[in-house]
Amino acid sequence: MKSALFPTKLAQLLGSWAFWSALVLLTLARVVVVEDGTERRYMLLTPWEKGQVEFVNTVTGKPVLLEFHLPWAFQGFRAFTDPETEAYYTAGEYPWNQALARERRKTLAYCSEVGLALKLGSTWFRVEKGCLRLRLLWPP
């Protein structure tokens, strides 16, 4: 008797709007936790949203902007800064953005004594004399 009931229940589940909505949400959701050492904030993002980090390089005194995307990991990085600051990071040995574009990470950490700003989706986080750590919890 139970074996005849199982296919019926499975068919009902697969035919339900709630099941397919949950499956789509699970596929499209990006769950990220942002930590600053004292607080932890969970965020639900889409794969189309992007992140960015803004800070001033303390050696060159010039601003740096890093952008990234979240399709399956923190990836698609791109840096914007002046040639002197890029040379500081690369010693002039390689094209910075080509190297950054290959990076794929589940965890990021940015630290600054002067200050930095991080934007995920439409939410800003700021820290001075500290770090911001991002972890992509979903998808695993």
Side-chain angles (χ1 to χ4, degrees):
M1 179 99 171
K2 285 187 179 180
S3 61
L5 185 61
F6 179 74
T8 304
K9 290 291 185 184
L10 181 61
Q12 287 175 343
L13 177 65
L14 293 177
S16 87
W17 179 86
F19 171 79
W20 288 107
S21 297
L23 186 62
V24 167
L25 180 62
L26 208 85
T27 303
L28 295 179
R30 301 296 179 257
V31 180
V32 176
V33 61
V34 180
E35 300 169 288
D36 68 2
T38 59
E39 291 184 48
R40 181 178 292 165
R41 180 156 177 198
Y42 293 89
M43 300 185 68
L44 186 63
L45 302 165
T46 69
W48 301 281
E49 293 184 272
K50 67 180 188 177
Q52 67 183 52
V53 179
E54 299 175 359
F55 60 93
V56 173
N57 178 291
T58 55
V59 173
T60 64
K62 303 292 171 95
V64 178
L65 169 65
L66 302 174
E67 292 182 345
F68 57 91
H69 299 277
L70 295 112
W72 301 108
F74 300 121
Q75 63 190 76
F77 291 88
R78 184 154 170 80
F80 301 91
T81 192
D82 67 290
E84 178 187 4
T85 304
E86 182 174 344
Y88 169 80
Y89 290 110
T90 65
E93 296 294 318
Y94 59 92
W96 197 17
N97 280 316
Q98 287 180 6
L100 287 172
R102 291 189 297 268
E103 292 290 323
R104 286 178 58 111
R105 306 282 176 149
K106 294 287 185 174
T107 301
L108 298 174
Y110 295 102
C111 301
S112 176
E113 288 295 315
V114 179
L116 65 88
L118 165 77
K119 183 179 181 186
L120 277 178
S122 61
T123 305
W124 282 96
F125 300 88
R126 290 176 175 39
V127 68
E128 289 182 26
K129 296 183 181 178
C131 301
L132 289 173
R133 182 172 182 230
L134 295 77
R135 288 183 295 137
L136 184 62
L137 302 178
W138 182 265

